Amino acid sequence: MSNKVLPRILIIDDFYGRKPPNPDREDLCLRLGLKDITGDEVGNGAPETIPHPLAEAVFCRGQVETGGSVENDLPGTLEVVRKGWEQWPRWALVLLDLEFKTGQIDHDGKPEGRDSDRNPSSYFGLTILEHVWKDPGLRDIPVVILSSMKREAIERRFADQGVWAFIDKTEINRDPLNSLLMEHGLLEDERIIGRSLPLLKCLREARKRARLGNDNILLLGETGTGKELFASYLHKQSGRKGAYVPLFTSGVPETLIDDRLFGHVKGAFDGAYRAEPGAAELADGGTLFIDEFGEIPATIQTKFLRLLDKNIRETQRIGSQSAKKLNLQVVLATNRLDILSSGAFRQALLSRVGAKDPMTLPPLRERAEDIPLLVDFFVKKYEKAFGAESRRVSEEALEALKAYSWPGNVRELEGVIERAVDNYRGLKYLSKNHLNIEIMRQISPPVPPAPTPSEAVSPIQPTVDDISALIQYLEAFTFHPAHRPQWEGKLSEIEGAYARLMARYLESALEAAKRRSEHNQEVFYTFAMKLITGDTQLKPTKAKRLMKDFLSHEAVESLRASHPILHDAYEIALGQRPARQNGKGKGGNSPPRRVQ
Amino acid sequence: MTPAWQKRRSAFNHDWLKNQHMNRLDGFIERLKTEGADVSRIRRFITQDFPEWEVKRETVRELIASFEREMSPRTLFERDPLNRCDAETQRWLGDLVHALWMARYPVKGWICEAEKALKSVDCQYAALKKAIDSLNPIDSEQLAPLLPSFVAFKGACEKLSQAIGQFPHEVLVV
């Protein structure tokens, strides 16, 4: 396996979970290639070093010893399960024993065992399993039963609780455990950055699909979700020795797609000076990835369907009379998430590509916890590319990035980071202000926690829709004498914040007005002020005066400098530029510029 | 109420043979294959864990020998409600259900297979013990040529575990 972080496995077992010195646990770790990181070896020396470990293992006995007796500990066990699931690295797999021996400790130091321990209907392992399965927060944990007990008596019961597999303790060693991890585990990948559950589940599904090796796999995903990366991952996981060949159809003329996909023989058309194989042939023995397969023109659909038919899988070069059999995995992608219902695809094509059972890639908004990792990755990538200073990214910036909905997904995030690093190459700290303002404007700044003594004030959500909440908040805000150190000397800061709030208010109105009155600037500015004041009779002179009030505070200076629309409005308000009439202004007055 | 025979089988087959002995044997084999492995752990297996077989051999021999007596449906006459039958009925009916049980289930076959598996483990153990006793010192280098024999011993242990595991888990009625 090539994962950069060792997967972490939880082993819940009364025998191997006993505290060290526990030679049986050491032997199990050696056998399975596990690095014991339980951390309970205090005073007993470090665990034995395992060469090239496959995974990290945390052992949990699931029991407590009290007064010379051993009893099962369900709450404690579930706590261990939960804690390791909610933090990173989360459990990639949980191996669960069935029979837990309880009772008085005998002369060997082991519990003597009770009848109920041995009864399949009351196995403690199944009790743990039931509680994990019932808890929506834990249900996604991949659990595998690891036991030397007979499975027949409980087969149905553990299947009902979502168990992924049943492994005999005496049969498992390093290789079967690796297979288990690959098949059922939640594993990171080096190239597809992220560790969120939706992503890890998608990677697991990809490994399962690729195992067949010669299937057609349909990838559905919004733009920028990494369909090509996944296609490459599917190739890697298929174990196919041949090449991975991507074919991008978007923007390629229809007439060329036939040639790119199937190739041609010499003399097939003007300029075909020599025979050329197509992408399908080049991928023989490997994987062919066709991005935006919906672009394949109808004129070659018959040929395309023969390539997609797993029983036929043949390709025919342009100008050739014979077809060639291929052995390949075909990965097809589209961002048309409505592929089945859109009516844009032929039924025969849909059934061949497996449209009823696609792999859907999670959009970035559903894996916001991956954003810090992605940001770190892209920051480093572009620092290196631009020869820029290495930097840290502020928490505030990360929070803002996580709050955004990312319609362009990872590609959009990469673009934002690329621009930020490029624009501020010398900085060692990347803050929210350095990120693309177009994005950040969609996320209003969080209101700082107020030192208010009034418990009755409800916290507001800092979005533009909550003007009434903002007003309520401001109205209710008090400066309690007891908090003097916090408000003392803050007048200019408060005034500045208020002035910038008003300027942003005006800016929105100007933007809205611009759409209505593109060519008459006096109408434009007056209309913007009408929008704010609600005064439909507002005169242009008064509008200008109000605009000046909005923008004259020194705290707004930087906003004016960075926002052309505010800069222009301020100059008009000051009378430094005459407002243009009917699109024919003087004195170099430019029409309102769109803020980028 | 779990029959005492089942408890003894579980203690031998599940707790000792599978969970402990075969696991430690696997660990030992892995260390023997690994360059620079901890010699003290290798010695510990040879001197402490491996000879445990000599004690457990008797346990499993007794286990196999007592199966027919302890897991026969005849034992049901020792418990309520069949123990309420008079002694004569218990005797002849007990003999009858025992004979039927022996006829219906491959009891002799289970026993025979387990004895064969036991003998195989025992033979391989004896050969290995003799080879180990001639070693001086006991270290990875000296033990390395014995690796195939230890792998074969593990295979024999697995067969014994399977043979013991195939005895029924409850008193089968006829």
Side-chain angles (χ1 to χ4, degrees), chain A residues 13-232:
Chain A
D13 186 296
D14 59 336
F15 190 67
Y16 301 118
R18 283 177 296 128
K19 280 189 178 170
N22 185 343
D24 299 299
R25 188 202 289 185
E26 287 180 2
D27 289 326
L28 184 79
C29 284
L30 189 66
R31 221 173 96 200
L32 304 188
L34 298 174
K35 180 181 176 188
D36 184 1
I37 58 154
T38 310
D40 56 356
E41 68 281 350
V42 183
N44 291 298
E48 188 178 11
T49 304
I50 306 295
H52 313 295
L54 196 64
E56 292 178 340
V58 173
F59 286 86
C60 170
R61 183 177 182 177
Q63 298 177 317
V64 285
E65 280 187 33
T66 46
S69 169
V70 172
E71 303 301 333
N72 291 330
D73 175 22
L74 183 62
T77 307
L78 292 175
E79 182 59 24
V80 171
V81 173
R82 184 172 290 107
K83 206 172 159 191
W85 180 243
E86 288 170 353
Q87 66 187 26
W88 185 256
R90 56 161 58 94
W91 309 126
L93 198 67
V94 172
L95 301 179
L96 178 62
D97 189 17
L98 287 176
E99 184 186 322
F100 288 68
K101 287 206 164 174
T102 60
Q104 290 299 309
I105 297 171
D106 64 18
H107 58 278
D108 287 336
K110 294 172 187 164
E112 60 188 8
R114 297 179 174 121
D115 281 353
S116 57
D117 301 336
R118 299 181 194 96
N119 186 347
S121 65
S122 58
Y123 278 154
F124 182 55
L126 286 180
T127 306
I128 296 169
L129 186 64
E130 278 169 2
H131 280 78
V132 168
W133 181 247
K134 271 193 294 191
D135 188 332
L138 304 178
R139 189 173 261 219
D140 283 318
I141 299 177
V143 180
V144 168
I145 299 288
L146 179 70
S147 175
S148 47
M149 306 308 293
K150 292 273 179 192
R151 61 190 289 180
E152 291 79 6
I154 49 156
E155 183 104 42
R156 171 68 194 274
R157 197 167 154 210
F158 71 69
D160 283 349
Q161 313 295 337
V163 162
W164 292 77
F166 188 107
I167 303 294
D168 193 312
K169 263 183 201 172
T170 56
E171 288 170 5
I172 192 167
N173 56 41
R174 196 183 173 102
D175 289 341
L177 178 64
N178 191 27
S179 302
L180 266 183
L181 272 168
M182 296 304 277
E183 191 174 351
H184 307 303
L186 294 167
L187 309 175
E188 261 192 285
D189 181 65
E190 282 175 335
R191 291 186 63 218
I192 304 177
I193 310 292
R195 52 180 63 152
S196 62
L197 196 54
L199 179 71
L200 297 184
K201 284 164 82 172
C202 201
L203 288 169
R204 176 173 63 191
E205 193 186 342
R207 290 194 299 275
K208 283 188 182 174
R209 301 264 184 139
R211 211 172 37 172
L212 292 171
N214 66 341
D215 219 347
N216 296 327
I217 302 169
L218 175 61
L219 298 181
L220 292 186
E222 295 175 10
T223 180
T225 45
K227 292 187 279 290
E228 200 210 342
L229 268 179
F230 264 88
S232 163

Side-chain angles (χ1 to χ4, degrees), chain B residues 95-131:
Chain B
D95 285 349
L96 178 64
V97 295
H98 181 79
L100 286 172
W101 177 65
M102 294 289 283
R104 177 169 291 184
Y105 298 101
V107 178
K108 290 289 181 199
W110 293 329
I111 292 169
C112 184
E113 205 172 314
E115 283 173 341
K116 213 168 114 186
L118 167 62
K119 195 174 171 188
S120 170
V121 174
D122 221 14
C123 284
Q124 302 213 35
Y125 174 82
L128 270 170
K129 186 78 173 74
K130 194 176 167 189

